[in-house]
Each structure stands twice: as structure tokens, then as C-alpha cells.
Amino acid sequence: MLAAAALAMLVSVPAAQAADATPMDPNPGPAGSFAWKGFNWEKRFWGGAPQYNRAFAAANVSGPNANGYVTMKLTNPTGASPVAAEFQSTRKGFGYGTYSTTVEKNLSLLQKEVVWGCLFTYDPLAEPGFNEIDLCEASAWGGGASYGQSWPVTQGHGYWFDASKPPGQGNNTTVFDVTASPITTHRMVWEPGRLTFETYAGAGYVGTLLKRTVLEGSTVPVPAKEQVHFNLWVTGGGGGDPAHVKPENVVIRDFSFTPASTTPPPVPAPAIKLTATTTNSKGSNTTALTWTGAAGTSVTLWTDGTQKTVLNSGSFVNKIKDGATTAYKICDAGGCSAVVNV
């Protein structure tokens, strides 16, 4: 029986790894708990922050499975003491380049005490901001009841530049609403002084662009010995009931990293698509503008360099008396359409 069990174990290990056929990166990092998407990864078995009761378990990370997916579980075996999950790359130092991940999780159903730490870079020795860049972190941060408020689950694109300061002061973050999409894809391009984040509904970059964020300036982290992390944990603040959270699962379908030094990141296509049709009558132009892909309740309409806030209804009619050619573009908080001249 022992020989059979040992043989079964030997057979099962290559099968789990064989599901992921990604060639190993030239610098995959030291061997860890498992290999996945070209890199070596370590399951967290030690306790500590940020989990409110400091409990983590390596068993809460499993895979890759037959599809090449990694599953993370937040468990609560006693019903009153949840156990978190985390894994991190063994490689230290990724630096500038393009990072992406595809995640299977309906974030609109995330419990208010749960934090989904979706692909973030972190170097505990890189003070003051620890080189933390958060591509797709999501939470309601306890729900806000302790402040007499009700916070929804939101996602964030951002980074820390001074971890000694509280949220909103030591970080630069854009927060946006979650959707009920069961799968989301996230991409981050890290360049000197610039971070570009994108979150899409569905697998890959063909679905709806939910949010595009560009953050620039001297506080953008510079490469150090950051590792790539994923974690699923419980916050003790905000007025929630952290001890009694129910189990949660997240499936991570994909991860990739392309260093900037080998393949320059592609310039993202404008998320907003603008078209214009003009009719001329008695020397005046009447232009019907239509657009798709803009986020928010209002957008900025640029007309020959002059801006105007209009309702994000997907259409607008503009009249120009002199009948000359006019340049238009539509912008939201994340970016602008291509310029259309009519």
C-alpha cells in the first residue's frame, strides 16, 4: 500500500505541472512550492499581516490543475477564525515591463470583510512605499459601518509611495466600481515615471474595457527587489464581522510578465470609439457625434481644443456657424478617443 501510494504521488506531481506548458523564464527564481506560467512560486505558510488574525495556510493555495489554473481559498474551519491564502514569486526583481493576469471571480459577491489582493508587487525592504503596485485589488474594507457609512466593494489601480502615511495620503490610487463579470483580465505597463492599468471584462483584451488608469510622476516606484504576490485575506477594520466570514474562492487562470528591455509594451488602443457625421446648410455645420466605451456619468467633449462637460449618453449634436473643419474628441477619467476631423 505504501509503494502504491508513493507511486501515485510521483505520477500526480508531473501531471499537475504538465497542465501548464509555459516555458520557464530565463530567470524564474529559486525552486519553490510550485512552478507556474514560467516562474517559481512559494505558498505562504507563515502568519502575520495583513490578515487580521494573522492566520495563513499553504493548503489554501492549490494547483495548477488540469487547466493550468491556480485556486486560492479563504477558509473558516471553526466558523470563527478565518484562514487566509497567499502565494508569491520566488524571483526578486521584475522591474519595468508588462504584467497581466486573468481571474475567475464575481467580485460583486465578495464579502465586505474580504480583501482580494489581485497581482501586486512588493519589496518589504524598499522603504517608504515598499515598491507596492496594486493592479486589481478589490474590497469593501469592512463595509464602513464603524464610521456610520456603507461602503460598496470596489476595485483599485494604484501604488504606495509612503507606507508611513494613511490611505489617500501615502498612495496614489484610482477606485472604480466592480461588475458581475465572472472573469476579468488585468494588465499593467510599468515604465519610468508612468503606470498604465487596464481592467477588462472576460478573458483576454477583447471584452469591455472597464477601466483604464494612467498614473504619472516622481512618486511612481522604481525597480527594486519586488516580488509578485496574490493574496486573499480578511480585514479587521471598517465595522465588519471578520471572525465569521464564509469561505471564498478565487481562480487565477493566467499570469504573464514581459520585461520592457526585450519587448516594448504595445500602445493600448483608445478605449473610447468616436464617430461623427456632419451636414452643411447655409454655411453652418451640424455634427452628430456618437461614441462607445466611455466610463462614468459624464465625459469631456473637446471641440478644436475647447472642452465641455456633457452627459455620457453616447451621442451629442454640435453646431458650428462658419462651416469650417472641426476637430473632436471624447475623454473620460481614463483616457480619450482618437481625434475625429469633420
Side-chain angles (χ1 to χ4, degrees):
M1 291 179 63
L2 289 174
L7 179 60
M9 291 177 64
L10 289 172
V11 171
S12 65
V13 170
Q17 300 293 342
D20 177 17
T22 307
M24 293 300 283
D25 186 89
N27 179 18
S33 306
F34 63 101
W36 180 62
K37 301 302 177 182
F39 297 91
N40 289 315
W41 305 85
E42 183 74 32
K43 300 178 183 181
R44 180 169 179 174
F45 58 87
W46 57 95
Q51 169 78 352
Y52 90 101
N53 63 355
R54 307 178 67 83
F56 284 84
N60 284 1
V61 178
S62 62
N65 65 9
N67 294 315
Y69 302 165
V70 173
T71 298
M72 302 181 70
K73 297 180 180 180
L74 177 70
T75 57
N76 197 342
T78 69
S81 184
V83 182
E86 182 168 353
F87 68 96
Q88 63 189 42
S89 65
T90 63
R91 171 172 165 173
K92 297 182 179 181
F94 282 76
Y96 298 130
T98 301
Y99 301 71
S100 70
T101 186
T102 298
V103 176
E104 188 175 324
K105 179 67 175 179
N106 182 346
L107 292 175
S108 68
L109 303 179
L110 195 71
Q111 295 171 82
K112 64 183 180 181
E113 300 88 356
V114 176
V115 182
W116 163 226
C118 167
L119 204 164
F120 63 100
T121 63
Y122 190 79
D123 177 357
L125 301 180
E127 297 182 350
F130 303 124
N131 259 45
E132 182 176 347
I133 304 173
D134 299 292
L135 173 53
C136 42
E137 186 174 56
S139 184
W141 301 102
S146 62
Y147 302 98
Q149 299 176 6
S150 178
W151 302 338
V153 177
T154 56
Q155 292 187 84
H157 293 154
Y159 65 92
W160 283 89
F161 53 85
D162 190 343
S164 68
K165 296 179 180 179
Q169 297 181 28
N171 67 330
N172 190 353
T173 302
T174 295
V175 175
F176 56 101
D177 294 338
V178 299
T179 70
S181 177
I183 299 172
T184 51
T185 298
H186 312 266
R187 175 166 55 188
M188 174 181 84
V189 181
W190 185 12
E191 305 169 272
R194 179 184 174 96
L195 283 160
T196 303
F197 303 89
E198 292 176 330
T199 291
Y200 293 82
Y205 309 112
V206 296
T208 301
L209 177 60
L210 302 176
K211 186 64 177 178
R212 183 171 187 264
T213 303
V214 179
L215 301 177
E216 297 179 291
S218 60
T219 58
V220 170
V222 297
K225 294 183 178 180
E226 64 282 335
Q227 295 167 273
V228 173
H229 293 245
F230 296 84
N231 62 16
L232 185 64
W233 53 282
V234 179
T235 179
D241 183 10
H244 299 104
V245 297
K246 298 177 181 178
E248 294 263 15
N249 285 10
V250 176
V251 176
I252 308 167
R253 292 188 171 194
D254 197 14
F255 165 80
S256 69
F257 169 70
T258 303
S261 59
T262 57
T263 304
V267 177
I272 304 173
K273 307 297 183 184
L274 173 65
T275 58
T277 303
T278 293
T279 57
N280 182 275
S281 176
K282 298 180 181 181
S284 295
N285 283 349
T286 299
T287 302
L289 301 167
T290 58
W291 65 88
T292 60
T297 57
S298 63
V299 295
T300 301
L301 167 64
W302 289 84
T303 306
D304 282 342
T306 300
Q307 63 178 347
K308 177 181 180 180
T309 300
V310 300
L311 184 68
N312 186 16
S313 62
S315 64
F316 186 82
V317 176
N318 193 50
K319 294 184 178 181
I320 301 291
K321 290 184 178 181
D322 59 13
T325 299
T326 305
Y328 294 97
K329 68 178 178 179
I330 293 288
C331 302
D332 62 11
C336 298
S337 70
V339 175
V340 175
N341 294 287
V342 291

